[in-house]
Amino acid sequence: MDKKTWDKWLVDWNFIIEIAKNRNWDYSPLIIKPTISIKDINQLENELQIKYPVEFKNILTDFSAGVRFSWQMKNEEAKEEFRSVFCGCGEGYLWDFEN
């Protein structure tokens, strides 16, 4: 991933949070954790006997080891093809190396 893509993600996440604020939805703030070392990733891969995709390792080491936020619509319903969309980020994180 490149910085341009990362910056776009930041804009999009903040846009979603602003919508939640303006509409009085429930939301948690955007939390962006610091990066981690490739050594930490390699250690976990060895412990779990798995391999993470190179692109994901790049995100963890160059941009963030974890991104958390969530939103939940309150007192309104999405329309048409978005009817099933009422919340985002499930447990509150997009990814989190610690978890």
Side-chain angles (χ1 to χ4, degrees):
M1 185 174 73
D2 59 21
K3 183 159 178 9
K4 182 178 177 180
T5 301
W6 175 255
D7 290 343
K8 173 75 169 107
W9 285 3
L10 291 174
V11 167
D12 291 347
W13 295 331
N14 282 299
F15 176 73
I16 293 167
I17 295 292
E18 284 304 310
I19 289 172
K21 283 180 189 176
N22 292 336
R23 294 186 177 182
N24 249 359
W25 295 348
D26 294 328
Y27 69 94
S28 64
L30 178 62
I31 298 171
I32 298 174
K33 293 186 171 187
T35 59
I36 57 168
S37 72
I38 193 67
K39 179 182 170 187
D40 291 333
I41 297 170
N42 292 339
Q43 180 180 347
L44 183 62
E45 285 180 326
N46 289 334
E47 288 174 16
L48 299 177
Q49 297 182 356
I50 62 169
K51 288 290 181 191
Y52 286 111
V54 172
E55 296 84 359
F56 187 54
K57 291 179 187 182
N58 170 254
I59 291 169
L60 295 172
T61 59
D62 293 344
F63 298 97
S64 174
V67 175
R68 299 182 59 100
F69 82 99
S70 64
W71 58 271
Q72 171 87 40
M73 289 176 97
K74 194 165 77 172
N75 301 324
E76 68 181 272
E77 185 177 312
K79 294 177 176 50
E80 298 167 15
E81 72 268 21
F82 300 109
R83 185 163 283 149
S84 63
V85 179
F86 58 90
C87 67
C89 299
E91 298 289 319
Y93 55 89
L94 296 175
W95 70 87
D96 192 334
F97 184 78
E98 292 178 18
N99 288 328

